[in-house]
Amino acid sequence: MKAITEATLGFAKDDADGEDSRNVDLTALVGSIADDLLATGVDAHLETDARVVALCRPAALGRALRNLIENAAIYGRRANINIGDDGGAIRIVIEDNGPGIAEADMERVFEPFVRLEGSRHRATGGIGLGMAISRNIVRRHGGDVSLANRTEGGLRVTVTLPKS
């Protein structure tokens, strides 16, 4: 109950988070997250060195991206991350090699307390707030998070952010 309460408070707190926005090198931010995860044995790799800068709340956006990257690496065995600027928006694409997600669960996974992994044991996963919090944070930055199964297998998570 304590973990659920703390997670719920964290979800609500994000709404009131007063972190200031500033220009941030997203490539460095994501590279740091991937490096931190690699150091703990989580298979996460940034596959670009193009410098992409965005106006954001770095701690909040970092929390969202870390969750998405960590999920890809844990549930999909590996996270491959690319960052690009397509002219109109910034895209952070996280791909994994896992089984993907059933089409019926693509939006449901963003609902609070929804877990697709069947176990309720804390060691095998969270309590189902990570995806909801991540999408909430990205949307508060004027962007969105979308999911798609890859034709070659695995899941593609696309974070789209407005250009500064």
Side-chain angles (χ1 to χ4, degrees):
M1 279 309 263
K2 182 180 177 188
I4 291 172
T5 302
E6 288 174 354
T8 303
L9 290 172
F11 186 75
K13 180 183 177 297
D14 180 67
D15 222 33
D17 193 358
E19 181 184 8
D20 291 332
S21 293
R22 61 184 173 91
N23 282 321
V24 173
D25 182 339
L26 291 180
T27 307
L29 177 67
V30 172
S32 175
I33 293 167
D35 289 346
D36 288 349
L37 291 172
L38 271 171
T40 65
V42 176
D43 197 1
H45 302 274
L46 178 60
E47 299 182 342
T48 185
D49 59 1
R51 185 170 186 260
V52 176
V53 176
L55 183 65
C56 68
R57 295 181 303 135
L61 188 59
R63 185 167 59 245
L65 294 172
R66 181 181 179 94
N67 180 68
L68 297 171
I69 294 166
E70 208 167 41
N71 281 352
I74 292 169
Y75 298 109
R77 298 184 296 275
R78 177 182 174 92
N80 297 315
I81 312 140
N82 275 293
I83 302 173
D85 176 342
D86 71 4
I90 295 167
R91 298 202 193 288
I92 302 168
V93 178
I94 306 159
E95 296 181 329
D96 68 42
N97 297 326
I101 294 178
E103 289 296 322
D105 291 329
M106 290 286 186
E107 282 300 311
R108 194 173 78 83
V109 75
F110 291 107
E111 295 173 12
F113 303 110
V114 169
R115 288 184 58 200
L116 299 183
E117 191 270 328
S119 168
R120 292 292 167 224
H121 190 277
R122 182 80 172 119
T124 61
I127 59 170
L129 281 176
M131 295 296 285
I133 290 170
S134 293
R135 183 180 253 184
N136 185 42
I137 290 169
V138 172
R139 284 183 171 174
R140 293 212 39 213
H141 281 84
D144 207 355
V145 179
S146 62
L147 306 177
N149 286 313
R150 299 170 55 212
T151 55
E152 61 273 25
L155 187 69
R156 176 177 296 117
V157 178
T158 304
V159 175
T160 306
L161 295 166
K163 289 180 69 171
S164 298

